[in-house]
Amino acid sequence: MIVALIGYNTSIEEALKVCDNFDALLIDPPSIKSKDELDLAWFLAEKSFKDKKNIANKFKYEFLLWLTGKRDITSAMKISMPKNNVAFLILFNSDKKKILKALNAKEKKSELKKEADALSLEHMSLSRIKD
């Protein structure tokens, strides 16, 4: 997984289409507070597929479900959709240079913390426990 904070010069609709052609996601920066959250979402998505308990058919969407703490892709996409032309680009199996060019994007300096607070991790970990 490659994570980059980017500024892009296309509409959000066009940017999402580009990401559909690559194995990538665009995430609103406030949705990600730390590297730990990304690592945990990755781990839980991998485990879901291994245990055959995944909700999404594609890994990137299973990852998004865990990252947002949601159980359906529509609500996960809604809360994580970039609000302006700055977003975290999450690449799973894509060429960063090619997607940056396709998005007409430039990488920005990220202030992403390494460690997460316990509540954020707990929210993700417990998101699939049914009431």
Side-chain angles (χ1 to χ4, degrees), residues 45-68:
E46 278 187 329
K47 185 169 178 11
S48 293
F49 273 95
K50 180 181 169 213
D51 295 345
K52 300 191 184 315
K53 293 184 179 182
N54 51 301
I55 293 172
N57 292 327
K58 291 185 177 181
F59 183 82
K60 71 179 184 177
Y61 295 125
E62 187 70 16
F63 171 86
L64 181 63
L65 291 173
W66 283 109
L67 183 66
T68 59

Side-chain angles (χ1 to χ4, degrees), residues 109-125:
K109 181 158 175 59
S110 170
E111 299 294 326
L112 194 61
K113 296 186 299 183
K114 181 181 177 345
E115 294 183 10
D117 62 86
L119 287 177
S120 295
L121 297 179
E122 182 178 0
H123 172 70
M124 289 170 58
S125 300

Side-chain angles (χ1 to χ4, degrees), residues 68-82:
T68 59
K70 297 295 181 185
R71 292 187 207 171
D72 67 283
I73 295 169
T74 302
S75 65
M77 292 179 79
K78 185 177 179 180
I79 68 166
S80 67
M81 185 174 299

Side-chain angles (χ1 to χ4, degrees), residues 7-19:
Y8 55 95
N9 293 315
T10 62
S11 69
I12 186 62
E13 295 81 14
E14 183 61 30
L16 293 174
K17 283 180 191 175
V18 169
C19 287

